[in-house]
Amino acid sequence: MPTFFRCSKGRREFDPFESAIACEESHREVVTAKAKQYTVSPYPFMIEVTFTDGVTKDYIADDMH
């Protein structure tokens, strides 16, 4: 039976081990996150996230519970 190594962040399986490490290192970490927009919920509907590579993206809630 072959041995596979799993990226701890993306959960994808790899062979060899070095590919799993490279995948883990490719994922960006969140530096800051701030609320941009609220609706009727006490939680933000949209947040702005800045990552370690300087890229900023907006994320919208996928539910309104």
Side-chain angles (χ1 to χ4, degrees):
M1 178 183 283
T3 300
F4 293 97
F5 303 93
R6 182 175 288 156
C7 169
S8 65
K9 296 178 181 176
R11 312 302 294 161
R12 185 173 166 198
E13 291 182 344
F14 294 91
D15 179 32
F17 176 73
E18 292 78 19
S19 295
I21 294 299
C23 183
E24 286 184 357
E25 291 174 351
S26 74
H27 295 284
R28 303 297 182 243
E29 297 292 327
V30 173
V31 176
T32 61
K34 66 179 183 176
K36 281 187 76 173
Q37 182 180 355
Y38 285 89
T39 58
V40 296
S41 171
Y43 300 100
F45 174 71
M46 181 186 299
I47 61 171
E48 178 183 273
V49 179
T50 303
F51 297 92
T52 50
D53 62 357
V55 172
T56 299
K57 293 185 175 268
D58 291 340
Y59 288 89
I60 297 175
D62 64 352
D63 65 54
M64 294 300 294
H65 299 265

